[in-house]
Amino acid sequence: MTEIAPSAHIAPGAVIAPGAQIGAGCRIGPFCHIGPEVVLEDGVELVSHIVVEGATRIGAGARILPFASVGTPPQDTKYKNEPTRCEIGARTLVREGCTIHRASVGGSGVTSVGAGCMLMAQAHVAHDCILGDGVILANNVMLGGHVHVGDGAFIGGGAAVTQTVRIGRLAMVSGLAGVTNDIPPFGYVFGLPARLVGFNKIGLLRRGASRDDIRTLRLAHNFLYKDPGEFAAKVTQAEERWSGDPLVQEVLAFIRDATRRRQLVRPGRMTAPELGGVDEENGEGA
């Protein structure tokens, strides 16, 4: 049975299938199509010309702009309309033309976008992707299936991320990058294929990291990726050397994670004309 809160506003021309649940204060614009298993929490706004299908839940206060589609079937030839889900967190903004597919049967059964995210125009979130809170995807970002993106990460315009890649918290991906390997927390990557060229100093400072935190993280980054020596041995040494530093330990835990399916991104270097908003000496993301 369809449940539409009395305070919801449904424009003429919108189609609400029997069984959908529409929360208080929702605004559904003209020519939107809402499937029978969809749940819109309070205050969701669908501006116009939007399709929401499947077992999809959209969190309170989320806003979706024209020609986006959410919860449509995955682009996976193995998928035979099995019951999978799609979830969009509260206060997330989905801009024009974005596509967010529900999960396939080869993962956790849910595609999830966290709270307070912004997906800019034409971004694509494939089946079984998991995005944390506060993630920003710039225009035309393409995420393959089963990609995991940590809280607060930023992926620049036109970047492509291949399936099963993991991107750590507050990592930064440059525009047009081609990401084929895992990016540790706070890492900054650039190029095709993407290479680790620094860390996201500005993002860390904006979220409360101190100058001492930045100095320590820089020391650890240089030790792991620039100093000579076998990488596994340096990871062990870093665990002991910075045992009391939570940011360094977060990076090391990501590196040690046995569930990762991709190798770590390799370190690289940016030449001066390519630097843009990156500090040339320290490779710090702007």
Side-chain angles (χ1 to χ4, degrees), residues 15 47 50 63 90-91 109 116 136 177 189 200 230 234 236 238 272-273:
V15 176
V47 174
I50 293 159
R63 189 166 186 255
R91 305 177 309 282
I136 297 176
V189 302
N200 188 11
E230 196 265 330
K234 291 194 290 183
T236 300

Side-chain angles (χ1 to χ4, degrees), residues 84-106:
T84 58
R85 297 180 292 122
C86 180
E87 298 177 354
I88 308 296
R91 305 177 309 282
T92 283
L93 173 62
V94 179
R95 294 299 304 249
E96 298 86 349
C98 286
T99 50
I100 305 170
H101 292 169
R102 64 180 179 260
S104 67
V105 292

Side-chain angles (χ1 to χ4, degrees), residues 188 190 197-198 270 274-286:
Y188 180 88
F190 179 93
V197 296
M270 296 174 69
E274 298 170 328
L275 287 171
V278 177
D279 181 276
E280 183 171 1
E281 180 180 355
N282 298 310
E284 296 161 350

Side-chain angles (χ1 to χ4, degrees), residues 133-137 149-155 167-172:
D133 297 338
V135 170
I136 297 176
L137 307 184
V149 183
D151 292 351
F154 175 87
I155 303 181
I167 298 175
R169 184 171 74 92
L170 286 176
M172 185 174 181

Side-chain angles (χ1 to χ4, degrees), residues 26-121:
C26 287
R27 299 182 62 86
I28 299 177
F31 307 110
C32 292
H33 185 279
I34 311 301
E37 299 177 88
V38 172
V39 177
L40 304 185
E41 297 183 3
D42 295 350
V44 169
E45 181 180 8
L46 309 182
V47 174
S48 72
H49 298 81
I50 293 159
V51 173
V52 186
E53 291 186 359
T56 296
R57 176 179 287 270
I58 299 180
R63 189 166 186 255
I64 304 180
L65 273 67
F67 305 109
S69 63
V70 180
T72 46
Q75 297 176 138
D76 184 343
T77 58
K78 300 185 298 298
Y79 182 73
K80 305 301 179 185
N81 207 36
E82 294 90 348
T84 58
R85 297 180 292 122
C86 180
E87 298 177 354
I88 308 296
R91 305 177 309 282
T92 283
L93 173 62
V94 179
R95 294 299 304 249
E96 298 86 349
C98 286
T99 50
I100 305 170
H101 292 169
R102 64 180 179 260
S104 67
V105 292
S108 63
V110 61
T111 300
S112 177
V113 177
C117 297
M118 179 166 64
L119 280 57
M120 299 185 196

Side-chain angles (χ1 to χ4, degrees), residues 2-275:
T2 305
E3 298 180 14
I4 301 178
S7 59
H9 180 269
I10 313 296
V15 176
I16 312 296
Q21 300 179 41
I22 311 299
C26 287
R27 299 182 62 86
I28 299 177
F31 307 110
C32 292
H33 185 279
I34 311 301
E37 299 177 88
V38 172
V39 177
L40 304 185
E41 297 183 3
D42 295 350
V44 169
E45 181 180 8
L46 309 182
V47 174
S48 72
H49 298 81
I50 293 159
V51 173
V52 186
E53 291 186 359
T56 296
R57 176 179 287 270
I58 299 180
R63 189 166 186 255
I64 304 180
L65 273 67
F67 305 109
S69 63
V70 180
T72 46
Q75 297 176 138
D76 184 343
T77 58
K78 300 185 298 298
Y79 182 73
K80 305 301 179 185
N81 207 36
E82 294 90 348
T84 58
R85 297 180 292 122
C86 180
E87 298 177 354
I88 308 296
R91 305 177 309 282
T92 283
L93 173 62
V94 179
R95 294 299 304 249
E96 298 86 349
C98 286
T99 50
I100 305 170
H101 292 169
R102 64 180 179 260
S104 67
V105 292
S108 63
V110 61
T111 300
S112 177
V113 177
C117 297
M118 179 166 64
L119 280 57
M120 299 185 196
Q122 309 298 327
H124 173 64
V125 178
H127 61 87
D128 300 280
C129 286
I130 305 293
L131 277 59
D133 297 338
V135 170
I136 297 176
L137 307 184
N139 295 24
N140 300 301
V141 165
M142 298 166 283
L143 301 185
H146 305 271
V147 168
H148 285 205
V149 183
D151 292 351
F154 175 87
I155 303 181
V161 183
T162 198
Q163 62 266 23
T164 71
V165 160
R166 292 194 173 189
I167 298 175
R169 184 171 74 92
L170 286 176
M172 185 174 181
V173 178
S174 73
L176 302 178
V179 181
T180 58
N181 292 314
D182 289 356
I183 303 170
F186 325 123
Y188 180 88
V189 302
F190 179 93
L192 179 64
R195 291 290 183 258
L196 186 69
V197 296
F199 65 96
N200 188 11
K201 170 186 171 182
I202 302 303
L204 284 159
L205 289 173
R206 287 173 176 169
R207 288 160 180 83
S210 68
R211 294 287 177 178
D212 286 340
D213 292 332
I214 299 300
R215 280 191 288 269
T216 301
L217 196 58
R218 179 183 296 134
L219 286 172
H221 174 89
N222 290 341
F223 175 74
L224 287 169
Y225 295 106
K226 296 183 179 180
D227 288 0
E230 196 265 330
F231 186 72
K234 291 194 290 183
V235 169
T236 300
Q237 295 169 34
E239 287 179 330
E240 299 174 357
R241 181 174 174 182
W242 290 287
S243 60
D245 188 275
L247 295 182
V248 175
Q249 290 302 315
E250 184 175 344
V251 173
L252 297 175
F254 183 95
I255 293 171
R256 292 283 201 191
D257 186 356
T259 66
R260 290 191 302 103
R261 299 166 64 180
R262 294 276 176 179
Q263 296 181 351
L264 285 172
V265 64
R266 295 186 178 185
R269 186 173 178 83
M270 296 174 69
T271 60
E274 298 170 328
L275 287 171

